[in-house]
C-alpha cells in the first residue's frame, strides 16, 4: 500500500520509493529508504502534511509525496500468510496470523519480498526488438511485426531472474517523445503516470545516431534507465567499431550489447537493472545523470522556466522540471495544456516566449529546431568520442537492397504482391486439404457414434445436428486457418508487409487512402479488431477515422471458413483459389472506393505525409513462426468452444422447436422458429437470389462471422450423410451441393452470398472497437449501416447482371 494510506498510529516498512530525479533523491536523503520502519504520528486537520517517525526522528511529508512511497503493513503480512495456508487451516490459524502478533522480522521479510518486484518499461524505436526481448524474457507470445504499429498498446508480462520478479511492459515503438503521433503521446504518459522503476531503452545498434535521439529525450526526463544495444551481431558482422562502455559514460547510462533472438546479453541487462534498482551503482560514472547542453540561450530559457515550475505544488513528483521546460520550448501542445492548469501559467509561458524569441534571433531557427540540432550534435560528438566507425566487412543491407530492387519495382512490385496472395490461397487449399479431411472424418465418426448409440430425442438431435453439425462445420477449417496465418506471420516478421504498404502508397494516395493507413488494412486480413486498434499510430484524425470505417471490408480470417465452405461446394478445384483471390481483391477495391467517397463527402480535414521506415529484411526462425501460427490456432479453438458452440445450439433450437415428428425434415425447418423468421426476411434478399437459410446465416453472422458457417452447417445438416462420410471432404461437398442446389442456390447466388459476407455488417467486437477508438457510437453505427447497404447493393447488382448475361 501507499504510505499516504497508512492511518495515524500505524506502522509499516518501506518497500520502495517511486518517482524520479531530484524528488526521489530528496525523499531518500530524508531517510525514506527500503527496509526502514515508518510510523504515522499525526495527520494535519486537512490531512496535509503528515508527521512521520523514521530512523529515530520526526519528519513531515505532503500527502502527494507520501503517495510515492510504497510500504508493507502488519495487516498485509497477515493476509499474505493466510493465503499461503490450506483451506482447512485458514480458520484455525487466523489468530496466529493476526496483525497484532506480526513480528518485526515477518514485516521486514515481507518488505524484502515485495521489494524484489521491479516494474520495467521497454521503450524504443519501431523495429528495434522490444517485443522480441519481451517474448524472450517473459515467454509471452505477443506478435512481432517488422513494421510500425504492431504493438499498439502496452503488453504486460513477467520474468524471473535471480530472485527478482520483473514486471515487463512493452510500450509501442516511437521515434521520439513528442506529441506528434498517438503512440508518442501514449508512451510519454505511460512513463509519467505509471512511473516504472527502470526503463530499458532498446536501441537498434545498426542505426545508433537515429535511435539515440529518443535516448536523449529519456535523459531529459531524469528516469532510471539502461540501454540495450540490440542486434549487435549485425554490427559485428558489418565490422562496426564502438566503445560501448565509453559511450555509456558519455550518456550517463549503462549500454549493454544484446541479441534478443539468441538471448545474448539479457542476463547482464537484468543484473544491471537489479543493481540500479537496489542503488548499488556507487560511484560508477555510468549512473550519473547528465544534462545535454542545448546552447546558451536555450539553457538560459530552461533555467528561467524551471524556477517557476519548481514553485508549483506536486509537479516535481511526476515531472522533471528540466524536461517540462524543454517541452515548452519545443511548443509541445500537451505540455502547454498541462502548464495552463498552474496558477502562474501566464508567467511561465511569457518566459517561454521570450526565450524562444532570443533563440530565433541568435540562431535563425525556432527553438524546437535548435533543440533538435543540439541533441543530434551531442549524439554525433559522443559517437566520435566513443570511437564509432561504421564497418564495411559486410553490407548487412545488401540482401535487402537486392530484394527491394525487385519487390518494390514500379513495374513488377504490384504483380508480385498479387502473386504472393494467390500462392497463399493455393497453399491454403491444397496443403490444408489432407488434414482437413482427417478432421472431417473424425467429426463424421463422432456423429456416427452419436447416431448409433444414443436414444432418439432432443438431446441426440442437439448433439448430432447442433453441436457436431454446427461446430464441426467450422472446426474442420483449422488447418486452412493455420496455413493462412503462417503466411501472414512470415510476411509480417520478414518485413514484407512494410513493402506492401510502400508499393500501395501511390495508388492509395490518389484515391484518398495512403501510407500508414495501409498497415491496419493489411492487419485486417487477420482480424479487424486489432487492426482498428492499430489505427492509433496514424497521426491524422481524418486518415485514422476513414481507415476504421473501411476496415470491415478487409477479409478477416473469421470469413475464411465461409469462403472455403461455399467455394468447395459450388466451384471446381481449379477455380477455388481464383474465387478466393477475387474476394480479397474486391474487398481492397471497395475499401479504396469507399475511402475516396468518405474523404470527399463525409470526413473532412487535412492529411499528413506518409513517413514509414522500411526496415532490413530479417528472416524469422521457424520456431517463431510456428509459435505465432499456433497462437492464432488456439484463439480459433477457444472461439469454437465459446461463441460458436453457443450460437450453434441456439440456431439448432430455433430450427428444432416447435417440433413435430410427423413432418418431413424440410417441413420441420420451415415450420420452426428459425424458418418463420427466415421466411419473413426472405423478400429483403430476393434480388440476390438468397433463400431463407442463407438469410438466417447472414443474420446470425452479426455476432461473429464464423457463425455463418456453423449456421449453414446446422441448417444443412444431414444425419444420414454424416454417418457415412468415408469418402472425405469430396463426398461432404457433393452432399452439401445437392442439398443447397435443391433449395435453389446456384453458383451465381453462392458467389453473391460470398460478396455479401465480404462487405456487410462487421462483427460486434469490431463495432465495439470502433466505438472505443472514436469515442462515439455514431461512427460505429455508421460503419455497421453503410457497409450493410453497400453489401446489399453490390451483391444484388452482381446477381442481376449475372442473370442478364447468363
Amino acid at each position: 500500500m501507499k504510505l499516504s494510506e497508512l492511518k495515524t498510529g500505524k506502522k509499516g516498512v518501506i518497500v520502495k520509493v517511486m518517482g524520479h530525479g531530484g524528488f526521489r533523491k530528496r525523499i531518500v536523503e530524508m531517510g525514506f529508504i527500503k527496509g526502514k520502519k515508518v510510523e504515522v504520528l499525526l495527520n494535519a486537520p486537512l490531512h496535509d502534511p503528515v508527521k512521520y517517525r523514521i530512523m529515530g526522528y520526526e519528519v513531515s511529508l505532503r500527502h502527494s509525496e507520501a503517495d510515492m512511497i510504497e510500504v508493507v503493513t502488519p495487516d498485509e503480512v497477515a493476509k499474505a500468510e493466510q493465503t499461503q495456508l490450506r483451506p482447512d487451516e485458514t480458520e484455525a490459524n487466523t489468530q496466529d496470523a493476526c496483525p497484532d502478533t506480526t513480528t518485526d522480522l515477518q514485516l521486514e521479510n515481507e518488505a524484502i519480498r515485495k521489494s524484489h518486484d521491479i516494474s520495467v518499461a521497454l521503450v524504443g524505436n519501431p523495429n528495434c526488438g522490444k517485443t522480441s526481448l519481451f517474448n524472450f524474457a517473459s515467454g509471452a507470445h505477443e506478435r512481432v511485426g517488422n513494421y510500425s504499429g504492431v504493438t499498439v498498446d502496452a503488453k504486460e508480462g513477467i520474468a524471473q531472474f535471480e530472485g527478482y520478479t520483473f514486471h515487463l511492459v512493452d510500450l509501442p515503438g516511437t521515434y521520439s517523445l513528442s506529441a506528434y503521433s498517438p503512440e508518442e503521446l501514449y508512451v510519454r504518459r505511460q512513463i509519467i503516470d505509471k512511473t516504472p522503476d527502470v526503463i530499458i531503452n532498446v536501441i537498434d545498434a545498426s542505426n545508433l545516431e537515429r535511435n539515440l535521439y529518443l535516448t536523449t529525450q529519456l535523459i531529459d526526463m531524469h528516469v532510471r534507465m539502461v540501454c540495450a544495444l540490440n542486434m549487435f551481431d549485425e554490427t559485428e558482422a558489418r565490422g562496426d567499431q564502438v566503445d560501448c562502455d565509453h559511450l555509456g559514460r558519455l550518456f550517463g547510462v549503462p549500454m549493454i550489447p544484446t541479441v534478443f533472438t539468441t538471448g545474448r546479453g539479457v542476463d547482464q541487462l537484468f543484473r544491471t537493472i537489479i543493481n540500479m534498482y537496489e542503488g548499488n551503482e556507487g560511484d560508477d560514472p555510468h549512473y550519473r545523470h547528465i544534462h545535454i547542453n542545448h546552447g546558451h540561450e536555450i539553457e538560459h530559457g530552461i533555467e528561467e522556466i524551471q524556477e517557476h515550475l519548481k514553485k508549483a505544488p506536486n509537479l516535481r513528483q511526476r515531472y522533471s522540471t528540466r524536461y517540462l521546460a524543454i517541452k515548452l520550448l519545443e511548443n509541445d501542445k500537451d505540455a502547454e495544456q498541462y502548464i495552463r492548469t498552474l496558477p502562474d501559467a501566464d508567467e511561465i509561458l511569457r518566459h517561454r516566449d521570450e526565450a524562444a524569441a532570443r533563440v530565433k534571433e541568435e540562431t535563425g531557427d525556432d527553438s524546437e529546431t535548435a533543440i533538435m540540432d543540439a541533441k543530434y550534435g551531442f549524439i554525433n560528438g559522443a559517437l566520435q568520442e566513443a570511437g564509432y566507425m561504421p564497418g564495411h566487412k559486410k553490407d548487412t543491407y545488401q540482401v535487402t537492397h537486392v530484394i527491394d530492387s525487385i519487390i518494390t519495382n514500379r513495374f513488377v512490385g504490384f504483380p508480385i504482391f498479387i502473386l504472393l496472395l494467390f500462392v497463399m490461397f493455393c497453399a491454403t487449399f491444397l496443403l490444408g486439404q489432407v488434414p482437413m479431411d482427417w478432421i472431417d472424418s473424425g467429426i463424421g465418426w463422432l456423429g456416427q457414434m452419436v447416431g448409433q448409440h444414443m436414444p432418439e430425442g432432443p438431446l441426440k438431435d442437439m448433439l448430432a445436428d447442433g453441436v457436431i453439425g454446427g461446430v464441426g462445420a467450422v472446426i474442420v477449417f483449422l488447418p486452412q486457418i493455420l496455413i493462412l496465418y503462417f503466411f501472414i506471420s512470415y510476411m509480417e516478421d520478414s518485413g514484407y508487409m512494410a513493402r506492401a504498404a510502400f508499393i500501395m502508397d501511390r495508388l492509395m494516395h490518389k484515391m484518398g487512402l495512403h501510407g500508414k493507413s495501409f498497415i491496419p488494412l493489411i492487419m485486417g486480413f487477420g482480424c479487424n479488431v486489432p487492426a482498428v486498434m492499430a489505427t492509433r499510430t496514424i497521426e491524422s484524425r481524418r486518415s485514422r477515422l476513414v481507415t476504421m470505417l473501411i476496415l470491415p471490408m478487409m477479409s478477416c480470417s473469421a470469413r475464411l471458413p465461409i469462403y472455403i465452405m461455399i467455394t468447395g461446394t459450388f466451384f471446381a478445384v481449379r477455380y477455388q483459389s481464383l474465387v478466393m483471390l477475387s474476394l480479397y481483391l474486391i474487398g481492397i477495391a471497395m475499401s479504396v472506393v469507399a475511402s475516396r467517397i468518405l474523404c470527399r463527402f463525409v470526413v473532412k480535414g487535412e492529411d499528413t505525409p506518409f513517413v514509414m521506415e522500411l526496415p532490413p529484411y530479417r528472416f524469422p526462425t521457424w520456431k517463431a513462426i510456428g509459435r505465432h501460427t499456433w497462437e492464432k490456432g488456439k484463439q480459433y479453438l477457444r472461439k469454437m468452444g465459446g461463441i460458436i458452440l453457443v450460437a450453434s445450439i441456439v440456431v439448432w433450437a430455433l430450427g428444432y422447436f416447435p417440433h413435430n415428428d410427423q413432418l418431413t425434415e424440410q417441413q420441420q425447418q420451415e415450420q420452426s422458429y428459425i424458418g418463420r423468421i427466415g421466411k419473413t426476411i426472405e423478400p429483403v434478399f430476393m434480388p440476390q437470389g438468397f433463400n431463407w437459410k442463407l438469410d438466417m446465416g447472414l443474420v446470425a453472422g452479426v455476432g461473429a462471422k464464423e457463425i455463418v458457417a456453423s449456421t449453414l452447417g446446422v441448417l444443412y445438416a444431414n444425419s444420414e450423410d454424416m454417418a457415412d462420410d468415408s469418402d472425405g471432404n469430396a463426398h461432404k461437398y457433393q452432399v452439401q451441393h445437392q442439398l443447397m442446389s435443391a433449395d435453389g442456390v446456384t453458383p451465381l447466388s453462392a458467389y453473391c452470398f460470398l460478396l455479401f459476407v465480404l462487405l456487410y455488417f462487421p462483427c460486434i467486437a469490431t463495432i465495439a472497437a470502433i466505438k472505443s477508438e472514436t469515442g462515439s457510437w455514431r461512427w460505429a453505427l455508421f460503419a455497421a449501416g453503410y457497409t450493410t447497404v453497400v453489401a446489399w447493393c453490390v451483391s444484388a447488382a452482381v446477381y442481376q447482371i449475372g442473370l442478364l448475361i447468363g
Side-chain angles (χ1 to χ4, degrees):
M1 68 186 300
K2 303 294 178 61
L3 179 59
S4 57
E5 299 169 352
L6 206 59
K7 303 298 183 184
T8 303
K10 296 294 184 180
K11 297 179 182 179
V13 173
I14 296 174
V15 174
K16 68 174 71 171
V17 178
M18 294 173 285
H20 57 84
F23 164 78
R24 185 176 179 277
K25 182 179 179 182
R26 184 177 70 87
I27 295 296
V28 171
E29 287 174 347
M30 293 171 66
F32 290 87
I33 58 178
K34 184 182 70 175
K36 295 298 181 182
K37 188 185 296 183
V38 59
E39 180 182 0
V40 184
L41 296 180
L42 180 66
N43 270 271
L46 298 179
H47 299 283
D48 211 358
V50 181
K51 185 187 290 186
Y52 299 95
R53 178 184 289 123
I54 187 167
M55 297 177 67
Y57 76 103
E58 298 175 359
V59 60
S60 65
L61 289 180
R62 293 193 185 98
H63 191 276
S64 58
E65 295 173 331
D67 199 45
M68 304 298 289
I69 301 173
E70 185 179 339
V71 298
V72 62
T73 65
D75 290 335
E76 291 177 310
V77 174
K79 290 179 182 177
E81 290 186 351
Q82 285 184 27
T83 57
Q84 294 172 5
L85 297 173
R86 296 196 305 270
D88 58 339
E89 293 178 333
T90 301
E91 186 175 350
N93 288 274
T94 299
Q95 294 299 321
D96 295 335
C98 71
D100 294 337
T101 60
T102 301
T103 66
D104 289 346
L105 181 60
Q106 289 174 306
L107 201 57
E108 290 172 9
N109 287 339
E110 181 66 12
I112 292 173
R113 188 188 68 80
K114 283 199 165 191
S115 70
H116 281 204
D117 288 352
I118 308 176
S119 62
V120 179
L122 309 182
V123 180
N125 288 188
N127 311 309
C128 67
K130 291 183 293 74
T131 308
S132 296
L133 168 62
F134 181 83
N135 288 342
F136 180 87
S138 68
H141 300 160
E142 298 298 338
R143 289 294 301 112
V144 186
N146 206 8
Y147 55 81
S148 302
V150 167
T151 312
V152 295
D153 208 341
K155 305 295 189 299
E156 299 182 0
I158 294 177
Q160 305 286 343
F161 184 77
E162 294 186 353
Y164 287 81
T165 300
F166 293 80
H167 297 271
L168 301 174
V169 181
D170 180 21
L171 296 175
T174 177
Y175 293 107
S176 74
L177 295 177
S178 305
Y180 177 68
S181 68
E183 69 265 26
E184 291 173 349
L185 196 56
Y186 180 83
V187 171
R188 192 166 88 183
R189 287 178 176 171
Q190 284 286 311
I191 294 173
I192 292 170
D193 296 339
K194 302 299 184 182
T195 320
D197 295 318
V198 180
I199 286 176
I200 298 179
N201 177 205
V202 182
I203 294 172
D204 180 356
S206 65
N207 201 336
L208 280 174
E209 187 170 9
R210 190 200 68 198
N211 279 248
L212 286 170
Y213 182 76
L214 177 60
T215 307
T216 62
Q217 293 188 317
L218 291 168
I219 289 172
D220 290 338
M221 297 185 80
H222 203 169
V223 293
R224 291 190 287 182
M225 177 172 60
V226 178
C227 290
L229 301 180
N230 194 31
M231 306 176 196
F232 206 75
D233 53 339
E234 293 185 12
T235 67
E236 291 174 328
R238 196 168 57 197
D240 290 4
Q241 296 180 10
V242 62
D243 187 338
C244 299
D245 290 335
H246 190 45
L247 187 64
R249 286 192 288 271
L250 292 170
F251 275 83
V253 294
M255 295 197 173
I256 315 297
T258 59
V259 182
F260 292 148
T261 53
T262 63
R264 171 184 168 184
V266 173
D267 286 358
Q268 184 184 355
L269 184 67
F270 280 0
R271 287 193 187 97
T272 304
I273 291 172
I274 292 171
N275 288 333
M276 181 173 288
Y277 173 75
E278 295 289 3
N280 295 335
E281 55 267 35
D283 297 326
D284 192 326
H286 272 139
Y287 299 93
R288 62 181 177 83
H289 177 65
I290 67 167
H291 285 172
I292 297 170
N293 193 307
H294 297 90
H296 172 70
E297 289 299 339
I298 293 178
E299 290 297 328
H300 180 66
I302 291 173
E303 290 173 5
E304 286 187 338
I305 296 171
Q306 277 186 282
E307 288 180 11
H308 289 275
L309 292 175
K310 289 175 180 177
K311 299 174 185 177
N314 305 331
L315 182 145
R316 298 178 71 186
Q317 284 89 296
R318 298 182 68 224
Y319 292 95
S320 159
T321 56
R322 179 177 174 82
Y323 164 78
L324 204 51
I326 291 172
K327 283 298 161 191
L328 287 175
L329 287 168
E330 290 178 336
N331 296 306
D332 187 286
K333 299 302 180 186
D334 189 66
E336 190 172 311
Q337 185 178 356
Y338 174 74
I339 291 301
R340 291 191 183 280
T341 64
L342 302 179
D344 55 347
D346 292 338
E347 184 71 12
I348 294 172
L349 294 176
R350 183 178 66 80
H351 281 290
R352 187 275 308 271
D353 294 339
E354 289 176 356
R358 289 197 302 268
V359 171
K360 180 73 173 177
E361 183 180 345
E362 183 176 298
T363 66
D365 291 323
D366 58 80
S367 55
E368 182 177 7
T369 303
I371 290 172
M372 187 181 301
D373 289 344
K375 289 186 184 299
Y376 274 114
F378 171 80
I379 293 168
N380 188 263
L383 287 174
Q384 289 189 26
E385 195 168 335
Y388 176 68
M389 290 286 293
H392 303 285
K393 286 197 304 185
K394 177 183 177 183
D395 183 3
T396 54
Y397 285 83
Q398 184 176 1
V399 174
T400 293
H401 294 156
V402 172
I403 296 176
D404 274 348
S405 66
I406 301 171
I407 284 181
T408 62
N409 184 276
R410 59 183 298 187
F411 299 109
V412 301
F414 194 77
I416 289 175
F417 178 58
I418 302 298
L419 178 62
L420 287 174
L421 290 179
F422 180 71
V423 170
M424 180 173 69
F425 297 134
C426 285
T428 298
F429 275 109
L430 298 177
L431 298 180
Q433 192 63 54
V434 173
M436 183 178 177
D437 287 342
W438 294 342
I439 296 175
D440 200 48
S441 298
I443 292 171
W445 174 84
L446 187 61
Q448 186 177 8
M449 291 298 100
V450 170
Q452 291 178 354
H453 298 291
M454 285 192 68
E456 295 294 333
L459 181 59
K460 174 185 175 181
D461 291 341
M462 184 190 73
L463 290 176
D465 298 334
V467 176
I468 298 175
V471 176
V474 182
I475 201 170
V476 294
F477 302 113
L478 177 62
Q480 278 92 343
I481 294 290
L482 293 177
I483 293 170
L484 179 68
Y485 267 110
F486 172 84
F487 278 95
I488 291 177
S489 296
Y490 196 89
M491 288 192 289
E492 286 178 347
D493 291 358
S494 66
Y496 179 74
M497 283 302 190
R499 273 71 184 181
F502 178 78
I503 63 177
M504 293 291 290
D505 173 59
R506 187 177 181 86
L507 175 65
M508 301 298 260
H509 182 67
K510 287 183 177 180
M511 299 183 180
L513 186 72
H514 71 282
K516 260 190 174 178
S517 295
F518 192 68
I519 294 298
L521 296 181
I522 291 293
M523 293 178 69
F525 287 143
C527 180
N528 287 167
V529 175
V532 169
M533 296 173 65
T535 60
R536 297 176 191 174
T537 63
I538 303 172
E539 293 85 359
S540 165
R541 178 187 177 276
R542 170 176 168 268
S543 294
R544 188 162 62 249
L545 184 55
V546 171
T547 304
M548 278 188 271
L549 293 177
I550 65 173
L551 259 171
M553 295 181 178
M554 296 296 102
S555 286
C556 65
S557 60
R559 295 178 171 98
L560 189 62
I562 312 167
Y563 295 168
I564 296 174
M565 172 185 282
I566 299 300
T567 54
T569 300
F570 284 95
F571 300 98
V573 173
R574 63 179 179 274
Y575 297 124
Q576 290 175 359
S577 296
L578 289 174
V579 171
M580 286 274 286
L581 181 60
S582 71
L583 293 171
Y584 280 76
L585 293 180
I586 288 171
I588 294 173
M590 290 302 302
S591 69
V592 171
V593 174
S595 171
R596 188 66 175 168
I597 295 173
L598 291 170
C599 289
R600 184 76 177 272
F601 300 106
V602 181
V603 185
K604 303 294 180 65
E606 294 296 322
D607 213 338
T608 54
F610 171 57
V611 180
M612 193 183 74
E613 179 186 5
L614 291 180
Y617 289 100
R618 292 188 175 97
F619 299 102
T621 63
W622 292 110
K623 179 181 178 181
I625 293 296
R627 185 177 65 191
H628 298 159
T629 303
W630 177 238
E631 285 298 310
K632 295 300 180 182
K634 285 199 297 185
Q635 291 178 16
Y636 188 73
L637 290 175
R638 281 197 294 268
K639 191 179 284 188
M640 294 307 98
I643 186 172
I644 305 302
L645 175 61
V646 173
S648 299
I649 294 174
V650 169
V651 170
W652 169 83
L654 290 174
Y656 188 83
F657 298 105
H659 191 70
N660 188 341
D661 290 327
Q662 305 302 316
L663 301 177
T664 64
E665 186 172 346
Q666 179 74 15
Q667 292 172 331
Q668 168 60 40
Q669 281 192 340
E670 292 180 356
Q671 294 300 318
S672 68
Y673 294 127
I674 199 170
R676 296 172 189 176
I677 298 172
K679 289 289 185 181
T680 302
I681 65 175
E682 191 172 27
V684 176
F685 297 98
M686 286 185 65
Q688 287 86 354
F690 300 164
N691 61 31
W692 69 267
K693 294 181 181 179
L694 296 181
D695 300 344
M696 287 309 300
L698 295 175
V699 172
V702 168
K705 291 296 174 280
E706 295 96 337
I707 300 178
V708 176
S710 67
T711 299
L712 296 181
V714 172
L715 294 177
Y716 283 105
N718 189 308
S719 301
E720 295 177 6
D721 290 305
M722 186 181 296
D724 182 22
D725 201 19
S726 57
D727 294 332
N729 236 28
H731 173 73
K732 173 188 173 181
Y733 284 143
Q734 183 180 3
V735 171
Q736 195 160 291
H737 183 271
Q738 293 173 353
L739 294 173
M740 297 183 77
S741 297
D743 265 357
V745 183
T746 65
L748 177 60
S749 61
Y751 187 74
C752 292
F753 180 76
L754 292 177
L755 288 177
F756 201 99
V757 170
L758 164 69
L759 299 172
Y760 90 116
F761 193 102
C763 67
I764 293 296
T766 302
I767 293 295
I770 294 175
K771 188 269 174 186
S772 175
E773 294 301 315
T774 61
S776 170
W777 278 111
R778 179 168 67 102
W779 290 114
L781 295 177
F782 175 76
Y786 101 88
T787 52
T788 304
V789 171
V790 168
W792 193 94
C793 294
V794 170
S795 56
V798 171
Y799 184 74
Q800 296 301 322
I801 293 172
L803 288 179
L804 291 175
I805 295 175

